[in-house]
């Protein structure tokens, strides 16, 4: 330092200032600088997180202890319960829309079911629709006048539908209500009429129906249902959602040329896909179809027949059963009795005079 002589003190002063500036710069860097980012800010954030973290003794339930979804155990069918095919094989009438009540058809209500059941009906066709919240209910269409505030442009939710009596006096039914009726009455069979063929709607309907059954543990009841499909595409869509045991191919949407050749084609499709029967309008039926149906192992059903005489003739020609609003097994028995009485020959040993005297 002697070399610098009189400048020595100045040099020491500059070195001291430089050291102070270095210390200051290091402090700024550690605190993250004026912008608030960097190491200092990270440390501050970590401290804040530590302050917000719950204390070790706070009552927070671990995720593995949280209750899971409720799983309803599936019920078993009662011993000896008949299937849809077995019940249908002994039926001649199918109650259209759950049967007429109070002179009104297709109401699909509880009262209609009970009235027809008391009259001996055991097969019920039900009309199924989706509510605004995508739940399945029994309803033929959304016409106005049947339920207050309900119409084509005012679809109800499930809760709204069930809260509004049909025609202010009859009980509306959800699909779950139908399942509970089936459980209560184990000798009935249901034929579904889901109305639509569009893949999206079909998928929504059947997925909702399956979920309703799972929610009640009553999935076995589908073995007492015959699922109507209206064209080959709908069948494939439904069967992809769930393979049901029994199907009926109903022709009113797909159309029918009313020839033996076309009936043979429809029958072949049914045989190929394990479909149990075909339904058509009563005026489409021809007795010539009966041998084809018999050879294919198919039942044929016709709709909608409300005259006992017409129903009896169709049954005689080979139709298995008729969909009807109001006919009962007793009506067909009476019709058969009337025909027998009308056609019975007079006893050869009875004279006109003896007949008059009795």
């Amino acid at each position: 330092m002697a070399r610098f002589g009189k400048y020595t003190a100045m040099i020491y002063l500059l070195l001291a200032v430089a050291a102070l500036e270095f210390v200051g710069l290091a402090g700024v860097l550690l605190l993250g600088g004026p912008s608030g980012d960097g190491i200092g800010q990270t440390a501050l954030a970590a401290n804040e997180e530590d302050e917000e973290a719950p204390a070790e003794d706070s009552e927070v339930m671990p995720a593995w202890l949280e209750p899971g979804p409720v799983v309803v155990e599936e019920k078993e069918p009662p011993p000896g319960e008949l299937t849809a095919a077995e019940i249908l094989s002994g039926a001649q009438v199918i109650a259209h829309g759950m049967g007429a009540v109070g002179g009104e058809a297709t109401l699909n209500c509880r009262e209609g079911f009970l009235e027809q059941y008391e009259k001996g009906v055991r097969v019920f066709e039900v009309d199924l629709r989706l509510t605004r919240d995508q739940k399945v209910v029994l309803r033929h269409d959304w016409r106005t006048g049947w339920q207050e505030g309900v119409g084509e442009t005012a679809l109800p939710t499930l809760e709204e539908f069930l809260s509004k009596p049909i025609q202010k006096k009859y009980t509306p039914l959800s699909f779950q209500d139908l399942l509970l009726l089936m459980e209560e009455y184990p000798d009935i069979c249901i034929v579904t009429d889901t109305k639509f063929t569009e893949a999206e709607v079909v998928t929504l309907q059947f997925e909702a129906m399956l979920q309703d059954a799972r929610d009640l543990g009553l999935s076995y009841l589908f073995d007492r249902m015959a699922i109507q499909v209206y064209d080959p595409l709908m069948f494939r869509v439904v069967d992809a959602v769930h393979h049901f045991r029994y199907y009926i191919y109903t022709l009113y949407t797909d159309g029918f040329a009313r020839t033996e050749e076309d009936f043979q084609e429809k029958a072949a499709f049914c045989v190929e896909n394990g479909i149990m029967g075909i339904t058509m309008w009563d005026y489409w039926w021809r007795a010539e179809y009966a041998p084809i149906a018999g050879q294919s192992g198919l039942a044929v059903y016709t709709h909608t027949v409300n005259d006992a005489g017409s129903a009896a003739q169709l049954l005689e020609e080979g139709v298995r059963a008729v969909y009807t609003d109001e006919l009962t097994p007793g009506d067909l028995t009476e019709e058969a009795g009337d025909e027998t009485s009308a056609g019975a020959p007079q006893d050869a040993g009875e004279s006109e005079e003896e007949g008059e005297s009795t």
Side-chain angles (χ1 to χ4, degrees), residues 139-185:
R139 176 83 184 212
H140 186 275
D141 55 73
W142 293 116
R143 73 184 74 178
T144 57
W146 275 7
Q147 289 176 287
E148 184 180 355
V150 173
E152 288 286 354
T153 58
L155 299 187
T157 63
L158 174 64
E159 183 179 0
E160 291 168 345
F161 174 81
L162 294 176
S163 69
K164 300 174 184 292
I166 299 171
Q167 296 188 345
K168 298 184 178 181
K169 56 184 174 180
Y170 299 122
T171 307
L173 299 170
S174 67
F175 188 72
Q176 284 200 352
D177 293 329
L178 175 65
L179 293 171
L180 294 172
L181 272 179
M182 295 180 69
E183 184 182 29
E184 184 179 355
Y185 295 87

Side-chain angles (χ1 to χ4, degrees), residues 227 229 235 238-239 242-244 246-249 275-277:
I227 307 300
V229 293
F235 168 74
V238 172
D239 208 54
H242 179 80
H243 175 67
F244 294 94
Y246 302 110
Y247 291 96
I248 293 175
Y249 184 12
I275 296 173
M276 64 180 292

Side-chain angles (χ1 to χ4, degrees), residues 108-341:
N108 290 276
C109 62
R110 182 180 181 85
E111 291 78 7
F113 165 78
L114 293 174
E115 183 172 314
Q116 297 302 313
Y117 184 87
E118 287 298 318
K119 294 178 179 179
V121 178
R122 293 295 182 268
V123 182
F124 296 84
E125 183 248 23
V126 299
D127 303 299
L128 300 173
R129 295 269 176 171
L130 283 167
T131 60
R132 191 168 74 247
D133 51 348
Q134 309 302 308
K135 302 297 184 181
V136 178
V137 297
L138 276 60
R139 176 83 184 212
H140 186 275
D141 55 73
W142 293 116
R143 73 184 74 178
T144 57
W146 275 7
Q147 289 176 287
E148 184 180 355
V150 173
E152 288 286 354
T153 58
L155 299 187
T157 63
L158 174 64
E159 183 179 0
E160 291 168 345
F161 174 81
L162 294 176
S163 69
K164 300 174 184 292
I166 299 171
Q167 296 188 345
K168 298 184 178 181
K169 56 184 174 180
Y170 299 122
T171 307
L173 299 170
S174 67
F175 188 72
Q176 284 200 352
D177 293 329
L178 175 65
L179 293 171
L180 294 172
L181 272 179
M182 295 180 69
E183 184 182 29
E184 184 179 355
Y185 295 87
D187 58 343
I188 67 170
C189 165
I190 297 298
V191 178
T192 66
D193 188 358
T194 52
K195 303 297 183 185
F196 299 98
T197 58
E198 294 86 350
E200 296 82 0
V201 179
V202 169
T203 300
L204 278 174
Q205 282 181 308
F206 281 91
E207 285 182 345
M209 290 158 61
L210 290 164
Q211 187 59 53
D212 278 345
R214 287 192 291 267
D215 289 345
L216 296 174
L218 293 175
S219 298
Y220 78 86
L221 289 174
F222 285 115
D223 282 352
R224 278 203 278 128
M225 289 189 189
I227 307 300
Q228 287 191 120
V229 293
Y230 311 116
D231 58 40
L233 176 59
M234 181 191 174
F235 168 74
R236 289 192 288 271
V237 171
V238 172
D239 208 54
V241 173
H242 179 80
H243 175 67
F244 294 94
R245 190 172 176 182
Y246 302 110
Y247 291 96
I248 293 175
Y249 184 12
T250 297
L251 305 181
Y252 69 77
T253 295
D254 201 24
F256 180 45
R258 302 175 66 178
T259 64
E260 291 181 53
E261 291 76 16
D262 195 21
F263 185 83
Q264 183 71 65
E265 289 182 12
K266 307 290 188 189
F269 172 77
C270 291
V271 171
E272 180 181 352
N273 291 283
I275 296 173
M276 64 180 292
I278 293 174
T279 292
M280 64 178 67
W281 291 106
D282 59 318
Y283 53 85
W284 284 358
W285 167 257
R286 291 171 53 191
E288 290 79 7
Y289 305 150
I292 301 172
Q295 293 166 6
S296 303
L298 296 173
V300 179
Y301 311 97
T302 61
H303 63 98
T304 303
V305 185
N306 291 321
D307 176 73
S310 299
Q313 182 176 348
L314 288 164
L315 295 170
E316 185 178 348
E317 291 177 353
V319 169
R320 177 68 58 81
V322 297
Y323 294 62
T324 178
D325 296 317
E326 55 194 31
L327 294 179
T328 66
D331 294 325
L332 298 182
T333 301
E334 291 176 6
E335 178 66 26
D338 291 342
E339 290 182 358
T340 302
S341 298

